[in-house]
Amino acid sequence: MSTAPVFSEVQKINPSAIIELFTLQLDNSLHGATTIYRFHSGSNLNANGEIVWAGNSYQRFPIEATGFAYQRGQIPRPKLVVSNAFGTISAILILVNQTTAGNDLTGATFTRIRTMARFLDAVNFPGNSNPLGTPDPTAEFKRQIYTVDRKAAENRDVVEFELAGAIDMAGVRAPK
């Protein structure tokens, strides 16, 4: 991971767009699998489908992630609202709950990755050429890694999760 190219790009007069990518990784001891789900909430220039960055495909999926900012010295407790229109998240929850006793996604690792459009893989653009710059799989802002603390709500439209930092989990003390 290298933040220097990203900060250099942000300081330009006309920087490329910030691309927000998400990963959700299950924990084998909690969920019975180590599956990694990759998704993004936007679109790309190549048929508004998946975004490929660092060789990984991120599927387009309606998602709203908020609350990442530090305020008055408090550790952020982000909220994640994911569309459940096609029952995709409910299907993942049902699968996880079959292997664990109703654990939902509690304990899964959620990572927010931010990079710039300039650094996306060339396959995202028409003609397989990035017109904004050279692809760089290491150019990204500092990753924000959280743990799913609990499922706050689930209905046919959305599923809402509350996230917590590693030090903000119940029963965790610092230093360990």
Side-chain angles (χ1 to χ4, degrees):
M1 177 184 79
S2 176
T3 57
V6 174
F7 290 128
S8 176
E9 175 70 12
V10 169
Q11 293 175 0
K12 290 183 176 180
I13 291 175
N14 189 17
S16 62
I18 295 175
I19 306 297
E20 194 173 44
L21 307 168
F22 306 102
T23 64
L24 180 68
Q25 182 171 9
L26 304 182
D27 184 323
N28 193 37
S29 63
L30 297 172
H31 309 109
T34 56
T35 308
I36 299 175
Y37 298 97
R38 292 182 172 90
F39 44 93
H40 70 96
S41 62
S43 61
N44 70 359
L45 299 175
N46 190 6
N48 289 335
E50 64 184 28
I51 287 179
V52 178
W53 184 68
N56 295 315
S57 294
Y58 294 82
Q59 300 300 314
R60 183 173 51 134
F61 201 75
I63 180 171
E64 181 182 356
T66 59
F68 290 96
Y70 285 85
Q71 295 179 350
R72 296 187 188 132
Q74 295 178 351
I75 297 173
R77 301 255 329 170
K79 289 188 180 179
L80 183 66
V81 180
V82 184
S83 171
N84 199 24
F86 299 112
T88 305
I89 298 300
S90 288
I92 293 170
L93 291 171
I94 290 169
L95 181 65
V96 168
N97 287 336
Q98 288 175 350
T99 57
T100 61
N103 192 25
D104 286 331
L105 291 176
T106 302
T109 303
F110 178 83
T111 306
R112 179 185 185 210
I113 304 166
R114 293 176 302 147
T115 187
M116 307 291 284
R118 171 187 178 153
F119 304 118
L120 292 178
D121 293 12
V123 299
N124 293 297
F125 301 92
N128 289 331
S129 176
N130 187 338
L132 304 171
T134 305
D136 184 353
T138 64
E140 62 183 86
F141 291 98
K142 185 177 181 207
R143 290 184 180 210
Q144 296 172 309
I145 302 171
Y146 293 89
T147 303
V148 176
D149 190 31
R150 71 182 191 99
K151 177 177 71 176
E154 178 181 9
N155 58 46
R156 70 165 56 167
D157 297 324
V158 296
V159 179
E160 182 178 339
F161 296 100
E162 290 181 6
L163 309 176
I167 199 161
D168 200 20
M169 297 295 292
V172 175
R173 291 183 170 183
K176 278 193 172 186

